[in-house]
């Protein structure tokens, strides 16, 4: 790994005190830290007052008004917001030409599982009720938000609702049983560790089963899933689980594009200004969506 990446990992690891008693302080620090890596690109952020969960439209100068990315932020289910992820949303809009609709789903521990999943499902159904077409909607999420994107599809399939054009999941947490002894993997060099993952599970599930497919989508029915892009870093703690999910999806004939970016770590797409070429993963997401939508010929 290059020196910039090593230095950044040290900064991230030292940034958050998970023992902080004031959860409000921890959440504010998390958002502001993420925003400190902003690309400062042009965006317009507008609150949607009619949606079932607090939500925001993020658009850039060439955003379509008809094509939507329904976005779920990261933060381990107990932190994160549109505010902290607005730069990533701006870059998604820039490279896809879609407007981004970002949901501030309810957070744990105040609102444990399945509150966040319910907010995400209702947000998708609200977009359909507002007249947006399923084939003009992409569902995307990062980290915990990637988990919620996959869980939303599993729930929509169960109620036989029309599914979106495709899915894009960045560093998704696909299995909350966390079955791999990650600390023994020689290639792992990440800013999250097994202890942090166990804390995430404890706060979010609060003794509910991690085998529930809406908590761990890897245990869900993947038949009929829409085309899926997965992005992970080669040094990422969750890479083994993401690889397992890809394998199961392929067995069900799901179109899956897994990108493993060399020397990258969990949610590296956020840290745009510190990592040379860090916008390339988002550019690749744009190319994937345009290919699936038929805007460009398939490779």
């Amino acid at each position: 790994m290059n020196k910039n990446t090593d230095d950044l990992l040290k900064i991230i690891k030292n940034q958050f005190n998970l023992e902080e008693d004031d959860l409000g302080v921890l959440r504010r620090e998390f958002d502001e830290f993420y925003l400190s890596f902003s690309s400062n690109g042009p965006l317009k952020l507008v609150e949607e007052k009619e949606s079932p969960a607090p939500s925001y439209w993020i658009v850039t100068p060439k955003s379509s008004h008809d094509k939507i990315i329904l976005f779920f932020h990261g933060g381990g289910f107990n932190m994160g917001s549109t505010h902290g992820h607005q730069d990533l949303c701006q870059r998604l809009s820039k490279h896809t030409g879609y407007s981004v609709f970002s949901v501030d789903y309810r957070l744990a521990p105040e609102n444990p599982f399945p509150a966040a999943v319910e907010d995400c499902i209702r947000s998708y159904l609200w977009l359909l009720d507002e007249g947006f077409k399923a084939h003009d909607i992409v569902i995307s999420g990062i980290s915990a938000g990637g988990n919620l994107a996959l869980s939303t599809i599993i729930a929509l399939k169960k109620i036989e609702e029309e599914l979106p054009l495709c899915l894009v999941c960045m560093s998704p947490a696909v299995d909350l049983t966390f079955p791999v002894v990650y600390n023994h993997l020689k290639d792992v060099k990440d800013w999250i560790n097994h202890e942090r993952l166990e804390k995430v599970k404890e706060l979010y599930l609060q003794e509910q089963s991690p085998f529930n497919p809406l908590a761990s989508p890897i245990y869900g029915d993947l038949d009929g899933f829409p085309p899926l892009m997965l992005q992970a870093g080669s040094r990422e703690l969750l890479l083994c689980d993401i690889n397992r999910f890809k394998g199961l999806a392929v067995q069900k004939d799901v179109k899956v594009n897994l990108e493993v970016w060399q020397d990258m770590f969990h949610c590296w797409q956020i840290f745009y200004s510190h990592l040379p070429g860090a916008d390339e993963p988002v550019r690749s997401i744009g190319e994937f969506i345009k290919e699936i939508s038929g805007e460009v010929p398939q490779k």
Side-chain angles (χ1 to χ4, degrees):
M1 301 177 78
N2 64 46
K3 186 175 185 301
N4 280 350
T5 309
D6 281 336
D7 290 345
L8 179 55
L9 278 173
K10 291 176 185 176
I11 292 170
I12 300 170
K13 286 178 180 178
N14 293 330
Q15 180 64 27
F16 305 114
N17 173 19
L18 294 183
E19 303 305 319
E20 167 65 62
D21 291 332
D22 190 332
L23 190 54
V25 169
L26 188 59
R27 286 170 175 166
R28 286 195 299 273
E29 289 179 350
F30 181 86
D31 282 346
E32 294 308 317
F33 183 65
Y34 268 24
L35 273 180
S36 70
F37 295 91
S38 173
S39 64
N40 296 313
L43 65 89
K44 182 178 181 182
L45 190 151
V46 179
E47 183 178 3
E48 175 53 73
K49 299 183 181 298
E50 303 298 323
S51 55
S55 304
Y56 300 84
W57 292 102
I58 294 120
V59 297
T60 48
K62 295 183 179 179
S63 296
S64 167
H65 296 294
D66 302 317
K67 297 180 182 294
I68 309 299
I69 294 176
L70 175 58
F71 178 78
F72 306 137
H73 65 76
F77 304 103
N78 69 324
M79 294 187 293
S81 70
T82 298
H83 176 68
H85 289 69
Q86 62 184 278
D87 181 66
L88 177 59
C89 290
Q90 175 269 134
R91 290 187 282 122
L92 284 169
S93 180
K94 170 187 172 183
H95 288 300
T96 63
Y98 284 44
S99 295
V100 174
F101 187 70
S102 178
V103 179
D104 281 2
Y105 51 83
R106 286 171 289 173
L107 299 176
E110 306 97 311
N111 303 284
F113 173 81
V117 185
E118 292 170 348
D119 287 349
C120 295
I121 296 165
R122 290 188 301 151
S123 297
Y124 178 78
L125 296 177
W126 181 82
L127 287 173
L128 296 183
D129 287 343
E130 289 296 298
F132 294 101
K133 305 301 182 185
H135 59 75
D136 288 329
I137 300 174
V138 173
I139 296 183
S140 179
I142 187 167
S143 190
N147 170 291
L148 292 170
L150 295 167
S151 298
T152 297
I153 296 298
I154 289 170
L156 293 173
K157 276 168 29 68
K158 191 166 185 178
I159 62 174
E160 299 183 347
E161 186 57 70
E162 191 174 3
L163 301 180
L165 173 72
C166 63
L167 278 169
V168 175
C169 298
M170 296 164 271
S171 297
V174 299
D175 187 350
L176 297 193
T177 71
F178 302 124
V180 181
V181 185
Y182 301 98
N183 292 337
H184 294 173
L185 298 177
K186 63 180 177 62
D187 292 331
V188 165
K189 190 166 187 179
D190 209 343
W191 58 277
I192 56 175
N193 54 35
H194 194 66
E195 290 73 26
R196 185 184 290 258
L197 294 177
E198 288 298 317
K199 187 69 172 178
V200 164
K201 177 167 69 174
E202 174 190 338
L203 293 175
Y204 181 51
L205 296 182
Q206 298 187 22
E207 300 186 354
Q208 298 180 78
S209 173
F211 292 99
N212 186 321
L214 296 185
S216 297
I218 199 166
Y219 301 111
D221 177 13
L222 306 186
D223 264 325
F225 249 60
L228 169 63
M229 168 177 265
L230 299 167
Q231 285 187 342
S234 68
R235 299 290 180 133
E236 174 145 14
L237 207 59
L238 300 179
L239 179 57
C240 286
D241 293 344
I242 294 169
N243 264 317
R244 287 171 52 227
F245 188 92
K246 179 212 171 179
L248 292 171
V250 168
Q251 288 178 19
K252 297 295 184 178
D253 294 323
V254 179
K255 177 180 172 61
V256 184
N257 184 355
L258 170 61
E259 293 185 346
V260 180
W261 289 75
Q262 290 305 302
D263 288 337
M264 292 296 103
F265 48 84
H266 189 64
C267 297
W268 81 96
Q269 300 93 334
I270 291 285
F271 304 101
Y272 171 84
S273 60
H274 199 89
L275 295 172
D279 215 28
E280 290 308 307
V282 182
R283 191 184 307 275
S284 183
I285 289 169
E287 293 172 355
F288 172 78
I289 292 173
K290 289 171 184 175
E291 177 184 314
I292 297 300
S293 67
E295 292 181 47
V296 298
Q298 294 197 9
K299 298 175 183 177

